[in-house]
Amino acid sequence: MASYVPPGKKEAGLEDAGAAAVHRIRITLTSRNVKNLEKVCADLKKKATDKKLKVSGPVRLPTKKLTITTRKAPSGEGTNTWDKLEMRIHKRLIDLHAPSDVVKQITSISIEPGVEVDVTINDR
Amino acid sequence: MGKKKPFIDKKTAMVYHVVRRSQRDIGTEATAETLTDFVLMPSPENAVRGRDAGTGAGRTPAATASSSSRGTGGGKRREVVDFRDLESRIAAAGLLDETAKTYARYTKPIEKSGTFVPALSNAILSSSTMSSADVGALNDLLTDTSRNALDDALEEAMAVREVGRMLDSIALTPDCMEEDVAAALFGDFDDGDFEELDDDFCITANSDVPINDDGCGGGGGEDGNDGGFDFERHVRMLMEKARANENGGNCVGARDLDDDFFDGVAPLRRRGMEDDDEDDFDYDRYDEDVDEEDEEYSLDRQFDGASTSATANANANNDERQRILCQRFEEALLEYDSDEVGDLDDECEDIVGDRPLEGDACLEAALNEFLTEREDEILIEGTGRNAARRKRRGGSSYSVLVGKTMLNASELNKIGDGSDPISSSSLLVNVEESKRQMQLDLAEADAILANPEMDLPPEEIFIDGKSYFSVTSRNPWDCESILSTYSNLDNNPVIIGRSGRRGRRKKGGGNRGEDTSNDVIPEDKPVRIRLSNKTGLPLRPPSDEGIKNNNDNEDYFGEGSTYLSINRGEARQRDESKQEKRERKMAVKEERRVCRMQKKIMKEAFSEEFQRRGHDVVVDPVGGSTVFRFS
């Protein structure tokens, strides 16, 4: 016999199912600005620990340095002086074991400008 | 231990980017306030990854579920279905963003009848894992031709929601403004209430329309010009009005005095003209009337006949005011009347002195000098305005030749004052003489002028044409010094023709005129040395060499010309032997050598002379006396 399941209940059930299903979530934070990046990492970690989630990180990957060395002079005349321009990219990883709804709440945190956040969910 | 299982399986993982929410994404009414700043946007690589995952070894359970439905379908459908698989998986994960489904809010409302054609074909829809009920509903929605459902949704989406005002607007009611403004804005007006104004004031003013002044009488008779505006009458009226107002108010001001100032002055327009009309103006009599008008224009105050009672009153007041004014003036003067200011005549007797000015010789001399100078100026330049302009700032003034000296006009009269007793006596005599001489000359001139038929007196020959040694007397009336500083003392122009004449004379071959150069000069007679006009040096006497040479050469070879400067026109003979040629060449070379030596000697002589004389004199060969020039 089919029982009438009110839609709200159904969603709740789904949510529970979703909530129960803990996914492995990897949050990748990339930025050129170390300070902002560290700030966002700290925020995330703090929130995760508040929610009693299993957090590991932040894993600091080696900084990628993109350097460009160019002649200072626009023409070839003059002493050979060179400009060294570089761009540093910092990358952090934070791993979580959390249900997906929690992941949605990532959007609620204030992300500093210049910090790129990627969320990778591994479906089991 | 083997390879640890990676935390994330990249092949099957779903990647989301955290991006800022679009500004256009305002959500539904319910969720508007709770929207977050960031949104999880699924990465486009997820589809690729899913495809790879589908084809690859690793298959997720979700994928296998969908693959079963793919049995009959072709390869093409796989891609389409994969998307739906992903969607379902996302939905299962609870990450499905519902906003993507409600595209209706972003679309243009359908004006005419139109339907949305689904991207997927019905076959796919029917074979999807969606429940049949959902499929049916979706179909109905899509194929529904009536606009009702979408229409409502669209309308609801596009409906402009009015937001309540924060402040009440200030209404424009007649209560808050003044009466006349309120009446102007809100009042009822009939069309006939307002006068139609023509904006042609300038035209009206320029036209000759007689303007009726509402002023006092007495001005009608004077206004002879019917078409014109009597300016002074108008001004008078204004002044009377003002005075009347003031008299009523009884205030004494400086303005009243000004008004009375113009009372006695002649009117601007001539009184003679006032009686005539403009048309009858007599141009012939205009010149005759000039004298009469001049009298009117004099500064003597004439009483203007058009006086009114107001002016009579003003006159009475005027005296009173003047008395007050004088009183005030006296008081003001008293302020300055202190002991420390003013003459010391009465106080100190030590400094008081007597100096009669009438008999003062110095003063009189100065005065006389000034007067004579003025007379001279007038004599030279004349009276009038131009005198000041043409007055020369320096230069010579009128001077008289007294005896052998030039005296200035001022000096002449100074003699009489006895300034220098020694020279004055001699000068006096000369003055008398010169005066007498002048009078005689004048008398003679008059006589000559009186009798024009008389023969002119015979000319006296003062200059002998043969005398070459006469010293040219310096003309005391030489105007060189006055007119310019450029003098011809250093640049004496040669009379043209002199040098050429001699040559021509000789060329002619005849004994024309005087040619003493080649004549045999007897010993007892003195040799007359002839000077060259050009250089001033004596001409070389003709030598034996000169006689031998061509006579023409004598002239050309004169004073400064060298061997090389003239062309003798010698041609070599055609049939000359080598010896003759050599001789000729040697002769030429010899001549050149001689020339060179002569030139060198001359040069050295001149340089010696210049050095001896000094360089300053060389610059100015006049001989020491400097001729002033402009620098």
Side-chain angles (χ1 to χ4, degrees):
Chain A
M1 204 153 92
S3 56
Y4 174 69
V5 180
K9 248 319 200 19
K10 191 180 173 186
E11 278 184 353
L14 248 176
E15 268 189 358
D16 284 340
V22 172
H23 302 280
R24 276 181 277 174
I25 296 156
R26 179 168 277 178
I27 303 170
T28 313
L29 301 138
T30 320
S31 175
R32 289 188 284 149
N33 194 335
V34 186
K35 199 171 125 199
N36 290 358
L37 187 63
E38 289 295 329
K39 190 163 175 288
V40 174
C41 285
D43 276 347
L44 273 172
K45 178 132 190 202
K46 191 165 158 294
K47 278 203 173 147
T49 49
D50 287 345
K51 291 199 163 74
K52 309 278 190 291
L53 300 170
K54 189 178 163 192
V55 189
S56 51
V59 175
R60 291 183 181 87
L61 296 173
T63 309
K64 287 178 198 163
K65 239 184 350 183
L66 313 173
T67 49
I68 294 168
T69 311
T70 47
R71 279 287 305 279
K72 272 188 186 172
S75 68
E77 183 266 339
T79 53
N80 294 343
T81 49
W82 294 85
D83 258 339
K84 278 187 196 163
L85 312 160
E86 67 175 20
M87 185 162 78
R88 292 181 182 184
I89 298 169
H90 309 271
K91 202 165 173 185
R92 305 276 186 270
L93 295 174
I94 294 175
D95 291 338
L96 298 171
H97 288 266
S100 48
D101 58 340
V102 172
V103 175
K104 271 193 193 172
Q105 288 166 26
I106 288 168
T107 58
S108 65
I109 65 160
S110 63
I111 296 167
E112 299 290 321
V115 178
E116 205 180 295
V117 179
D118 290 339
V119 175
T120 312
I121 301 168
N122 197 26
D123 293 331
R124 245 189 287 146
Chain B
M1 210 177 217
K3 196 179 174 185
K4 198 177 157 187
K5 188 189 169 188
F7 189 73
I8 294 282
D9 186 12
K10 282 181 189 169
K11 286 173 190 170
T12 56
M14 305 287 294
V15 182
Y16 298 92
H17 299 298
V18 176
V19 294
R20 283 187 181 270
R21 190 180 287 274
S22 167
Q23 279 182 352
R24 283 190 248 154
D25 187 4
I26 52 173
T28 59
E29 221 178 275
T31 59
E33 279 83 30
T34 58
L35 285 177
T36 55
D37 287 337
F38 299 95
V39 175
L40 281 169
M41 187 185 87
S43 169
E45 292 156 16
N46 290 344
V48 177
R49 224 177 276 133
R51 201 193 316 138
D52 293 339
T55 53
R59 282 199 182 194
T60 57
T64 49
S66 61
S67 65
S68 61
S69 63
R70 268 186 271 129
T72 50
K76 231 192 215 179
R77 283 194 221 134
R78 207 174 287 170
E79 294 167 14
V80 172
V81 171
D82 285 339
F83 175 71
R84 295 199 71 79
D85 282 343
L86 289 168
E87 218 176 20
S88 60
R89 280 166 61 198
I90 290 161
L95 293 167
L96 192 65
D97 196 0
E98 299 297 326
T99 55
K101 286 228 163 36
T102 56
Y103 287 116
R105 77 175 81 251
Y106 305 122
T107 57
K108 204 168 94 171
I110 298 165
E111 304 277 326
K112 300 158 190 166
S113 64
T115 55
F116 280 119
V117 177
L120 309 169
S121 62
N122 281 336
I124 303 303
L125 272 173
S126 58
S127 63
S128 68
T129 50
M130 282 170 71
S131 64
S132 58
D134 292 335
V135 171
L138 187 63
N139 257 343
D140 290 335
L141 200 68
L142 292 172
T143 56
D144 193 6
T145 51
S146 71
R147 296 176 55 206
N148 290 335
L150 274 173
D151 219 10
D152 294 337
L154 281 167
E155 270 179 23
E156 195 246 325
M158 302 301 287
V160 176
R161 296 180 199 100
E162 221 176 80
V163 179
R165 286 190 186 187
M166 231 163 62
L167 302 163
D168 291 330
S169 63
I170 299 162
L172 208 62
T173 54
D175 313 329
C176 61
M177 53 184 74
E178 290 176 14
E179 283 178 5
D180 45 357
V181 178
L185 284 173
F186 301 108
D188 298 324
F189 299 107
D190 299 329
D191 287 334
D193 284 354
F194 294 112
E195 195 186 301
E196 193 67 30
L197 280 178
D198 293 329
D199 195 5
D200 59 348
F201 302 112
C202 294
I203 298 163
T204 317
N206 281 330
S207 63
D208 296 330
V209 172
I211 296 164
N212 300 323
D213 293 329
D214 51 336
C216 313
E222 293 175 12
D223 189 5
N225 301 325
D226 294 330
F229 175 63
D230 198 2
F231 186 71
E232 87 258 16
R233 194 171 75 86
H234 179 73
V235 165
R236 228 179 298 127
M237 265 179 354
L238 286 172
M239 293 202 297
E240 282 155 15
K241 261 195 209 169
R243 226 172 288 126
N245 285 339
E246 281 176 9
N247 287 339
N250 199 25
C251 62
V252 179
R255 223 160 30 96
D256 299 335
L257 295 170
D258 287 339
D259 291 343
D260 299 327
F261 187 78
F262 291 109
D263 265 351
V265 180
L268 286 172
R269 297 259 182 83
R270 299 176 201 118
R271 217 193 270 170
M273 271 186 70
E274 283 162 7
D275 297 329
D276 302 333
D277 285 335
E278 276 188 3
D279 299 328
D280 297 342
F281 182 61
D282 201 346
Y283 287 99
D284 298 329
R285 278 191 60 236
Y286 182 72
D287 293 325
E288 292 171 49
D289 288 341
V290 165
D291 295 329
E292 296 168 14
E293 285 153 6
D294 279 343
E295 288 173 8
E296 285 186 344
Y297 274 102
S298 67
L299 290 172
D300 297 330
R301 294 192 170 196
Q302 299 173 17
F303 192 72
D304 196 9
S307 67
T308 59
S309 58
T311 51
N313 279 344
N315 283 334
N317 291 336
N318 188 23
D319 298 329
E320 175 69 24
R321 279 186 227 110
Q322 273 196 335
R323 201 178 53 75
I324 293 164
L325 199 68
C326 290
Q327 209 177 337
R328 279 200 212 146
F329 184 64
E330 292 289 316
E331 285 165 19
L333 273 185
L334 281 173
E335 286 178 20
Y336 295 99
D337 195 12
S338 70
D339 285 341
E340 294 163 16
V341 175
D343 302 336
L344 292 170
D345 288 343
D346 303 328
E347 309 233 322
C348 286
E349 285 183 355
D350 301 342
I351 63 163
V352 172
D354 252 336
R355 192 176 166 80
L357 293 173
E358 279 80 22
D360 193 9
C362 299
L363 183 68
E364 279 195 6
L367 275 173
N368 288 336
E369 184 184 341
F370 173 72
L371 285 170
T372 48
E373 276 187 354
R374 281 298 307 170
E375 282 169 12
D376 295 337
E377 279 175 18
I378 289 162
L379 183 74
I380 293 167
E381 293 154 16
T383 52
R385 291 174 295 144
N386 292 328
R389 259 188 251 157
R390 286 193 275 107
K391 184 182 168 59
R392 260 188 265 155
R393 311 266 174 264
S396 65
S397 58
Y398 190 68
S399 44
V400 177
L401 176 67
V402 174
K404 290 185 181 173
T405 56
M406 289 292 297
L407 282 181
N408 217 352
S410 56
E411 289 167 29
L412 263 184
N413 292 322
K414 260 192 208 169
I415 298 158
D417 296 338
S419 54
D420 198 357
I422 298 163
S423 59
S424 62
S425 55
S426 59
L427 284 171
L428 260 172
V429 174
N430 286 335
V431 163
E432 296 303 322
E433 275 182 19
S434 63
K435 277 186 184 170
R436 235 186 306 117
Q437 186 62 35
M438 201 170 69
Q439 279 166 2
L440 283 171
D441 289 336
L442 281 171
E444 199 183 312
D446 287 339
I448 291 168
L449 285 169
N451 306 326
E453 303 91 28
M454 212 168 75
D455 288 335
L456 294 169
E459 245 183 76
E460 292 175 24
I461 299 164
F462 292 111
I463 296 165
D464 183 14
K466 299 172 187 177
S467 64
Y468 293 101
F469 299 106
S470 60
V471 177
T472 52
S473 59
R474 190 186 185 280
N475 193 357
W477 302 104
D478 185 12
C479 295
E480 272 180 42
S481 57
I482 298 167
L483 291 173
S484 81
T485 56
Y486 291 110
S487 69
N488 58 356
L489 295 171
D490 55 341
N491 180 23
N492 300 313
V494 178
I495 298 167
I496 299 164
R498 254 297 180 71
S499 51
R501 212 182 298 155
R502 236 185 307 146
R504 265 184 246 122
R505 249 190 285 152
K506 295 260 172 90
K507 246 190 186 172
N511 295 335
R512 265 187 275 149
E514 302 154 14
D515 187 15
T516 55
S517 57
N518 287 337
D519 293 348
V520 175
I521 301 160
E523 285 187 6
D524 51 351
K525 280 194 182 173
V527 176
R528 183 160 268 171
I529 301 166
R530 286 169 67 189
L531 301 170
S532 162
N533 276 342
K534 193 173 171 189
T535 55
L537 301 170
L539 295 171
R540 277 187 301 134
S543 56
D544 292 340
E545 294 172 3
I547 292 167
K548 274 185 195 164
N549 292 344
N550 201 2
N551 280 341
D552 292 327
N553 291 348
E554 221 307 312
D555 307 298
Y556 296 119
F557 257 67
E559 304 80 41
S561 58
T562 56
Y563 150 81
L564 295 164
S565 59
I566 55 114
N567 183 9
R568 278 190 269 181
E570 295 165 333
R572 62 179 173 90
Q573 297 163 1
R574 280 176 184 254
D575 52 347
E576 62 174 1
S577 63
K578 285 207 171 171
Q579 189 68 25
E580 282 173 2
K581 184 176 175 181
R582 205 183 298 135
E583 279 171 15
R584 185 168 55 78
K585 291 254 187 230
M586 289 303 290
V588 165
K589 278 187 183 171
E590 185 62 32
E591 279 184 54
R592 280 185 191 161
R593 196 175 64 79
V594 164
C595 262
R596 255 182 275 134
M597 271 175 53
Q598 278 179 349
K599 188 174 173 184
K600 191 172 178 182
I601 288 161
M602 190 68 79
K603 235 182 171 179
E604 279 170 8
F606 267 99
S607 65
E608 271 176 33
E609 192 61 32
F610 286 151
Q611 271 182 357
R612 196 166 61 77
R613 288 198 191 180
H615 294 284
D616 297 331
V617 183
V618 168
V619 168
D620 203 345
V622 180
S625 61
T626 54
V627 177
F628 52 92
R629 320 159 182 269
F630 292 121
S631 57

